[in-house]
Amino acid sequence: MRDGDHYVINGQKIWTSYAHQADWIFLLVRTGNSEKKQAGITFILVDMKTPGITVRPIISIDGCHHLNETFFDNVRVPVANLIGEEGGGWKITKFLLNNEHATTADLPTLRRLQRQLRALAAAPAAGSTLGGQPQFTQRLARYEAELEAIAVMVQRVAAMEQAGDHSPAAHALGSMLKIRGTELQQQMGQFLIESMGDYGPVSYPSSHDGHAGEPLPMQDVMQDMATEAFFRRATTIYGGTSEIQRGIIAKTKFQF
Ligand SMILES: Cc1cc2nc3c(=O)[nH]c(=O)nc-3n(C[C@H](O)[C@H](O)[C@H](O)COP(=O)(O)OP(=O)(O)OC[C@H]3O[C@@H](n4cnc5c(N)ncnc54)[C@H](O)[C@@H]3O)c2cc1C
């Protein structure tokens, strides 16, 4: 609601990552009712110190605090904080979402999982190595091939971004990248756990947990393995679920 040179914002948002650490938040607020549901949405920046904002922590399954529920009760925000035009927020959001889809593929994490799996392959196990077992190496090779395909897709999306290409094809490619990258993170994490056999379900502590007991097998490589795999379940949800990404791809008429 507009009140002079301020908007008065009311509402609630769950799953707000790092709201407890943020100085600012961007909000998509409804400022108009229109038949087209994407119209009438406004993009605005809000100082997190503004009165009326409450941040409630949510502790996720990995035991960490990344997530929050945020409440906005009569929060007064200067009209000067508007980005773009009133009611024009969806256009900006589409651009940001495509960037988010592409980055959640998270190539650095995939490369780290690859390094962990390779370290496991080389480590001695019952007089041999996992890398000497065809079932292990075939599965690792398949994941590595998929990873290299994703690395090429990342470059392609980055080149399209750089060329200012915001076509439906560019959006669909961002969605494809999100699906493939996040599913691969889950599969490689799961493979790490399976490959550790009986030690797979054991909670390997983080280096900063100050674990003082006997070192667990491969502790330097496998720290945080199980808690991370739990958190990675969320990758196919956050930034827009895989089902939504598949819907975007299915609706896109494009040619590469
Ligand atoms: C760890 C984590 C961090 C997050 N961080 C943030 C954040 O920082 N900021 C933020 O704004 N949000 C954040 N989110 C929210 C996230 O973007 C949403 O949870 C996600 O987009 C899914 O929306 P939803 O929860 O409303 O699910 P819903 O839309 O209610 O979907 C529920 C289920 O129905 C399916 N579904 C819904 N619609 C369709 C359809 N049309 N076709 C097929 N299937 C459908 C979905 O795929 C899903 O399986 C985060 C979520 C998580 C889990």
Side-chain angles (χ1 to χ4, degrees):
M1 187 183 79
R2 178 100 179 234
D3 179 21
D5 55 1
H6 283 75
Y7 289 100
V8 181
I9 298 175
N10 283 288
Q12 168 259 6
K13 174 78 183 80
I14 197 164
W15 312 128
T16 324
S17 305
Y18 304 107
H20 57 302
Q21 292 171 346
D23 296 318
W24 288 82
I25 189 168
F26 72 76
L27 295 179
L28 297 165
V29 292
R30 188 157 283 288
T31 46
N33 290 315
S34 150
E35 279 194 11
K36 203 172 170 218
K37 59 183 183 219
Q38 293 93 335
I41 295 175
T42 296
F43 194 105
I44 196 161
L45 296 178
V46 181
D47 184 334
M48 287 296 283
K49 291 188 285 300
T50 317
I53 301 180
T54 309
V55 177
R56 242 187 236 165
I58 300 174
I59 306 303
S60 43
I61 195 168
D62 57 0
C64 299
H65 178 197
H66 331 258
L67 297 165
N68 303 277
E69 188 171 13
T70 38
F71 298 84
F72 301 85
D73 295 309
N74 291 318
V75 177
R76 293 182 68 82
V77 183
V79 171
N81 288 15
L82 197 75
I83 303 289
E85 291 167 12
E86 183 177 297
W90 186 242
K91 198 172 161 205
I92 305 168
T93 308
K94 272 202 311 191
F95 171 78
L96 292 180
L97 277 176
N98 201 39
N99 282 348
E100 188 179 12
H101 295 163
T103 50
T104 44
D106 204 345
L107 195 53
T109 291
L110 290 170
R111 290 272 184 229
R112 193 212 348 110
L113 288 165
Q114 178 186 33
R115 281 197 299 278
Q116 284 174 284
L117 282 165
R118 284 190 175 184
L120 208 55
S128 168
T129 60
L130 276 178
Q133 295 183 19
Q135 300 97 316
F136 182 90
T137 45
Q138 277 168 13
R139 206 161 146 194
L140 178 56
R142 211 169 53 237
Y143 291 143
E144 290 193 334
E146 179 73 9
L147 200 166
E148 294 312 324
I150 288 170
V152 172
M153 276 175 88
V154 167
Q155 287 183 2
R156 194 168 180 182
V157 170
M160 284 167 120
E161 277 289 325
Q162 216 165 14
D165 181 349
H166 304 302
S167 63
H171 284 277
L173 200 62
S175 295
M176 288 179 203
L177 194 48
K178 191 198 177 240
I179 294 172
R180 292 181 67 173
T182 53
E183 288 184 354
L184 190 60
Q185 285 167 45
Q186 292 178 351
Q187 288 161 6
M188 289 175 83
Q190 185 67 31
F191 186 36
L192 263 181
I193 289 180
E194 285 172 23
S195 303
M196 285 300 290
D198 289 347
Y199 284 96
V202 173
S203 182
Y204 274 66
S206 298
S207 52
H208 51 75
D209 280 351
H211 174 69
E214 281 288 300
L216 292 159
M218 301 293 293
Q219 189 164 313
D220 51 335
V221 176
M222 304 306 287
Q223 65 188 17
D224 268 343
M225 163 183 67
T227 46
E228 178 176 342
F230 280 135
F231 184 73
R232 297 259 156 240
R233 304 309 304 160
T235 59
T236 46
I237 300 172
Y238 62 58
T241 65
S242 292
E243 290 81 5
I244 294 294
Q245 306 310 322
R246 290 193 167 93
I248 293 171
I249 298 164
K251 277 191 252 162
T252 308
K253 294 188 181 70
F254 58 83
Q255 273 188 319
F256 285 122

